[in-house]
């Protein structure tokens, strides 16, 4: 069974640029959630995708957007990057949207200069 | 809204010592409770969970009991090892689509 994978592992961008992060869900899972983990803090929920539709969103501005594809992989897009967007971005998958247990990938560490 | 408060770290212990990390929560409903662990440079791994009051979650020698009367889910291990050095996160899911996490507790175990 393949776990959750994310790419890239590290990324450096400059303020104002746009970034796309990718996630492949665990085999058999159709739901993907994205979290932002700032240094020294707990993860904060960004949004969730279930069967290619957004299924809930946290307190993040619209410049954070996402997609889910028919194979249940997902992308997180962030436009107009700000310095405070520097963080570890975690993707988590679950068997379905009503399943509370989520399995996390290794994360993508984004640095905005 | 839902929130989790956990014991501030860092916590430094000697091998074979007893570990307790306190976690309390606030939720409007009847949440499921989780402990996740994050090893250096890695993502989060589910350590244990409990879905209703008085349930005890356990894994790898760690235990936590869901206490509704005190809204707590404290993590314990009777004899820690150097390999238990990590950041531990308490989290809840209140029957919706997201996990709400505490700020994390850094644990360092010295040989």
């Amino acid at each position: 069974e393949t776990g959750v994978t994310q790419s890239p592992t590290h990324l450096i961008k400059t303020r104002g640029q746009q970034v796309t992060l990718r996630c492949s869900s665990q085999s058999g899972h159709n739901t993907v959630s994205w979290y932002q983990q700032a240094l020294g803090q707990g993860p904060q929920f960004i949004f969730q995708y279930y069967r290619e539709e957004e299924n809930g969103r946290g307190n993040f501005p619209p410049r954070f957007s996402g997609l889910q594809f028919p194979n249940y992989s997902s992308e997180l897009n962030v436009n107009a990057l700000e310095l405070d967007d520097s963080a570890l971005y975690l993707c988590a998958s679950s068997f379905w949207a009503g399943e509370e247990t989520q399995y996390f990938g290794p994360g993508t560490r984004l640095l905005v200069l | 809204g839902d929130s989790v408060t956990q014991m501030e770290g860092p916590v430094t212990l000697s091998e074979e010592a007893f570990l307790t990390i306190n976690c309390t929560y606030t939720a409007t409903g009847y949440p499921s409770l989780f402990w996740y662990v994050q090893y250096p440079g890695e993502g989060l791994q589910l350590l244990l969970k409990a879905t209703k009051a008085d349930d005890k979650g356990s894994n790898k020698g760690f235990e936590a009991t869901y206490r509704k009367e005190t809204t707590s889910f404290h993590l314990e291990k009777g004899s820690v090892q150097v390999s238990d050095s990590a950041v531990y996160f308490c989290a809840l899911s209140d029957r919706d689509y997201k996990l709400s996490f505490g700020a994390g507790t850094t644990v360092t175990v010295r040989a």
Side-chain angles (χ1 to χ4, degrees), chain A residues 33-54:
Chain A
S33 302
W34 287 91
Y35 293 81
Q36 180 195 66
Q37 185 181 13
L39 195 63
Q41 298 182 23
Q44 298 292 318
F45 174 75
I46 303 174
F47 43 57
Q48 182 185 81
Y49 278 83
Y50 171 59
R51 293 186 174 179
E52 303 178 57
E53 298 286 332
E54 187 178 291

Side-chain angles (χ1 to χ4, degrees), chain A residues 33 35 37 40-45 48 55-58 88 90 97 99-107 109, chain B residues 30-32 34 36 38 41-46 49 51 89 93-104:
Chain A
S33 302
Y35 293 81
Q37 185 181 13
Q41 298 182 23
Q44 298 292 318
F45 174 75
Q48 182 185 81
N55 187 48
R57 187 179 184 92
L88 180 67
L90 295 164
E99 169 59 58
E100 296 167 321
T101 303
Q102 299 181 17
Y103 297 89
F104 284 79
R109 187 162 297 281
Chain B
Y30 300 93
S32 292
F34 303 83
Y36 281 86
Q38 188 173 39
E42 299 184 12
L44 299 176
Q45 297 179 24
L46 177 64
K49 69 176 184 179
T51 58
F89 292 94
S93 175
D94 197 5
R95 304 296 190 262
D96 62 6
Y97 40 76
K98 68 178 182 182
L99 288 167
S100 298
F101 287 89

Side-chain angles (χ1 to χ4, degrees), chain B residues 1-109:
Chain B
D2 298 342
S3 66
V4 174
T5 302
Q6 62 181 103
M7 177 176 131
E8 289 188 16
V11 174
T12 303
L13 302 165
S14 298
E15 250 186 337
E16 300 183 6
F18 184 86
L19 171 67
T20 299
I21 304 175
N22 290 339
C23 171
T24 57
Y25 67 89
T26 302
T28 53
Y30 300 93
S32 292
L33 302 174
F34 303 83
W35 278 99
Y36 281 86
V37 59
Q38 188 173 39
Y39 297 102
E42 299 184 12
L44 299 176
Q45 297 179 24
L46 177 64
L47 182 58
L48 53 85
K49 69 176 184 179
T51 58
K52 61 183 188 295
D54 300 325
D55 267 3
K56 177 185 285 188
S58 61
N59 186 27
K60 299 181 181 179
F62 290 89
E63 292 183 342
T65 301
Y66 189 140
R67 301 287 187 199
K68 185 183 173 188
E69 63 277 12
T70 55
T71 62
S72 65
F73 193 55
H74 305 322
L75 182 68
E76 297 181 336
K77 185 174 185 182
S79 178
V80 294
Q81 305 300 314
V82 172
S83 58
D84 294 324
S85 298
V87 182
Y88 292 82
F89 292 94
C90 186
L92 70 81
S93 175
D94 197 5
R95 304 296 190 262
D96 62 6
Y97 40 76
K98 68 178 182 182
L99 288 167
S100 298
F101 287 89
T105 302
T106 300
V107 173
T108 302
V109 181

